[in-house]
């Protein structure tokens, strides 16, 4: 597997919840931190949340703190993004990517590789 595979996106009303999944199995992803990014129309792709390989550290962009939770289950080779209290401004394509190491969680998109194709999240008002 050369790309992680995102799923779980969809259309939801403001205030609702979605859980995104990122399947990232194989040697390509073993022992690496993983992250979620999003890109809205006309906007640059931005960091949303990251988690270290062991799950001991997480990081979130300010706009999602307290609403989103990143987690992982390495036994299932899956990374999750639980999104609660969704807002219309959360509307974007959400991507999963591999981090530069087991522990690094940089904010810059260029520090990450092996990007998935993305899953669309649309939040209506």
């Amino acid at each position: 597997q050369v790309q992680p595979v995102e799923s779980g996106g969809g259309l939801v009303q403001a205030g609702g919840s979605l859980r995104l999944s990122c399947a990232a199995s194989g040697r390509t992803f073993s022992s690496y931190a993983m992250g979620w990014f999003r890109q809205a129309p006309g906007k640059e792709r931005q960091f949303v949340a990251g988690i270290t390989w062991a799950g001991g550290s997480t990081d979130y962009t300010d706009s999602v703190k307290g609403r989103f939770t990143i987690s992982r289950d390495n036994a299932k080779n899956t990374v999750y993004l639980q999104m609660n209290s969704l807002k219309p401004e959360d509307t974007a394509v959400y991507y999963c990517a591999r981090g530069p190491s087991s522990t690094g969680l940089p904010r810059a998109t260029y520090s990450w590789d092996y990007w998935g194709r993305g899953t669309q999240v649309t939040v209506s008002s």
Side-chain angles (χ1 to χ4, degrees):
Q1 187 181 17
V2 297
Q3 285 183 299
V5 179
E6 304 95 335
S7 63
L11 175 64
V12 65
Q13 293 183 345
S17 298
L18 284 173
R19 188 182 72 164
L20 306 184
S21 297
C22 170
S25 63
R27 291 285 192 180
T28 303
F29 304 101
S30 294
S31 301
Y32 285 88
M34 296 292 290
W36 287 96
F37 296 75
R38 66 187 181 187
Q39 187 166 23
K43 302 272 190 176
E44 293 185 357
R45 186 167 49 192
Q46 64 175 21
F47 175 86
V48 175
I51 186 167
T52 58
W53 165 250
S57 295
T58 58
D59 190 31
Y60 301 89
T61 191
D62 287 346
S63 63
V64 308
K65 287 180 179 177
R67 300 189 297 120
F68 291 10
T69 302
I70 188 170
S71 62
R72 69 192 302 166
D73 185 342
N74 289 342
K76 296 181 178 179
N77 300 306
T78 304
V79 182
Y80 304 97
L81 186 67
Q82 178 66 46
M83 305 186 294
N84 298 326
S85 302
L86 283 162
K87 303 174 180 180
E89 49 263 48
D90 295 318
T91 295
V93 177
Y94 283 70
Y95 299 91
C96 184
R98 189 185 75 168
S101 68
S102 64
T103 56
L105 299 174
R107 296 296 185 93
T109 60
Y110 59 75
S111 296
W112 301 72
D113 60 12
Y114 288 97
W115 296 85
R117 292 182 177 182
T119 185
Q120 177 71 49
V121 172
T122 303
V123 184
S124 62
S125 60

